[in-house]
Structures are given as C-alpha cells and as structure tokens.
Amino acid sequence: MSGTYTTIQGDTWDLIAYRLFGAEKYMRYLFEANWQYADIMIFLAGIELVIPELPEEPGEDMPFWRADHE
C-alpha cells in the first residue's frame, strides 16, 4: 500500500500504523517516510502523510538462518 493518508484529530503514529498496516510495529516506516512531522506526537486533522510500501517479510516457512540473507 502506498499513497497518502489524511490525519484526523487525535491520530498518533502508532494508531495510524495500526489502521493502515494492521500492526503498530510498522510505525517506524510511516515515521521515516514523513520526517517533516517528527515533532508531532498527536496530530491535528488535515495533515497529509505519505504512506510507504512496507518491505517484504520473510516467509514463516523459511529457516531462520536464511531469513537475513534474502
């Protein structure tokens, strides 16, 4: 998923990541794509954020010793 997201009053980085990607752990990618808003913890309505593509995660059936080499 890439594109943009327009904030609503009270949005936070982790809440936006959860809404868009299904988990707060993806907040880092959202934050990195929108450095200009790094000082904002709670958003006002109407701020347009860039939604980055998430990197592919290794498959669950891949051996652990190969996961870092893909």
Side-chain angles (χ1 to χ4, degrees):
M1 164 190 293
S2 64
T4 60
Y5 172 82
T6 304
T7 61
I8 58 174
Q9 179 71 35
D11 271 346
T12 59
W13 291 104
D14 57 339
L15 179 60
I16 296 168
Y18 182 79
R19 281 187 189 143
L20 296 175
F21 305 123
E24 294 91 348
K25 69 180 183 178
Y26 299 114
M27 180 181 88
R28 169 184 161 206
Y29 302 105
L30 183 63
F31 188 79
E32 288 174 351
N34 295 280
W35 278 110
Q36 67 272 34
Y37 302 113
D39 60 337
I40 298 175
M41 298 303 281
I42 301 174
F43 288 93
L44 298 174
I47 297 173
E48 191 168 297
L49 300 176
V50 173
I51 305 306
E53 289 288 333
L54 295 179
E56 293 205 19
E57 294 184 359
E60 290 182 20
D61 57 344
M62 182 179 297
F64 73 91
W65 51 269
R66 295 216 48 216
D68 292 336
H69 302 293
E70 288 292 308

